[in-house]
Amino acid sequence: DIQMTQSPSTLSASVGDRVTITCRASQSIGGWLAWYQQLPGKAPKLLIYKASSLETEVPSRFSGSGSGTEFTLTISSLQPDDFATYYCQQYYSFSTFGQGTKLEIK
Amino acid sequence: QLQLQESGSGLVRPSQTLSLSCAVSGASLSSGFYSWSWIRQPPGKALECIGYIHHSGTTNYKSSLKTRVTMSVDRSKNQFSLSLSFVTAADTAVYYCASRTADGNFDFWGQGTLVTVSS
């Protein structure tokens, strides 16, 4: 199975900050990577697919990049609604998720 | 817009079978655009894809769960189902159903249902 490792596990930041979350795959997955946002008690929401494509109606402050084994999710200017847990998912081979990155208010 | 809604037992005894259904509205399960998935999340832990079923009925399950999982589609009700046999406490989780695009990401999700395995 392909393993996905996210860093950091927890990230403290303030409204207006630019933040970056990294996801590494245990083998090359091309560009077959998605990012999700999960608010407490809610289902995950798709933000980014194919590593860098923005899902419909997702604000443009979210962006994704990378290919092969290393990927990043960047939020250019944090808004109050962005404090949540973020997961990456590879879908090159079956599907596996990272362990999550909790973005909390500093 | 797709909507998915899980239903089923919230409490299952150890060694018994967990059974859940997911009602889909806004799309036909016979559509070739999607496959239909189950994903779970133990309390405080990460997401885990259990597997998915294509409109053709072909299934793809997580390797470590393969011997205990069965997914099926009921086209007359436009719903799909999950059975997980011989459950233990490790199967306690929120179970989500989701639509899986042709690429493999999950674009619409149900609200999730908590299943607790306990005697």
Side-chain angles (χ1 to χ4, degrees):
Chain A
D1 294 359
I2 298 175
Q3 307 302 315
M4 306 300 292
T5 303
Q6 291 181 230
S7 59
S9 296
T10 307
L11 179 57
S12 297
S14 302
V15 172
D17 284 354
R18 178 185 179 90
V19 298
T20 297
I21 298 169
T22 298
C23 180
R24 290 186 173 86
S26 60
Q27 66 184 73
S28 178
I29 59 170
W32 301 109
L33 185 107
W35 290 96
Y36 299 82
Q37 176 194 65
Q38 187 176 35
L39 296 169
K42 300 294 187 182
K45 173 187 174 182
L46 178 64
L47 300 175
I48 303 281
Y49 61 96
K50 283 185 184 175
S52 60
S53 296
L54 197 66
E55 176 70 344
T56 305
E57 298 186 0
V58 172
S60 59
R61 62 180 179 274
F62 292 92
S63 63
S65 65
S67 66
T69 61
E70 187 154 335
F71 302 84
T72 59
L73 172 70
T74 299
I75 310 172
S76 60
S77 178
L78 277 173
Q79 299 302 300
D81 288 348
D82 300 338
F83 292 95
T85 300
Y86 293 84
Y87 292 94
C88 61
Q89 175 223 355
Q90 69 80 18
Y91 45 99
Y92 174 79
S93 174
F94 190 63
S95 176
T96 47
F97 292 87
Q99 82 279 16
T101 294
K102 184 177 181 180
L103 178 55
E104 57 183 29
I105 300 173
K106 185 184 288 184
Chain B
Q1 173 131 344
L2 268 181
Q3 291 187 313
L4 300 96
Q5 178 67 59
E6 304 90 350
S7 62
S9 176
L11 178 64
V12 183
R13 305 300 183 195
S15 80
Q16 299 299 304
T17 297
L18 176 161
S19 297
L20 297 173
S21 294
C22 180
V24 177
S25 57
S28 168
L29 290 190
S30 300
S31 164
F33 188 77
Y34 284 113
S35 51
W36 306 98
S37 314
W38 289 97
I39 296 158
R40 69 181 181 178
Q41 185 172 35
K45 295 189 178 180
L47 299 159
E48 177 184 40
C49 180
I50 300 169
Y52 43 89
I53 182 165
H54 297 268
H55 64 95
S56 64
T58 302
T59 53
N60 197 342
Y61 302 142
K62 181 178 173 71
S63 55
S64 62
L65 297 173
K66 192 173 296 188
T67 60
R68 299 196 291 130
V69 172
T70 303
M71 294 182 185
S72 61
V73 168
D74 184 338
R75 290 182 177 79
S76 66
K77 296 181 179 178
N78 214 45
Q79 67 182 33
F80 61 104
S81 299
L82 167 70
S83 290
L84 181 65
S85 61
F86 302 107
V87 297
T88 69
D91 295 310
T92 293
V94 174
Y95 285 75
Y96 296 100
C97 57
S99 55
R100 178 181 174 274
T101 69
D103 282 348
N105 54 70
F106 304 107
D107 57 351
F108 292 96
W109 297 62
Q111 64 185 25
T113 187
L114 175 63
V115 178
T116 301
V117 178
S118 176
S119 55

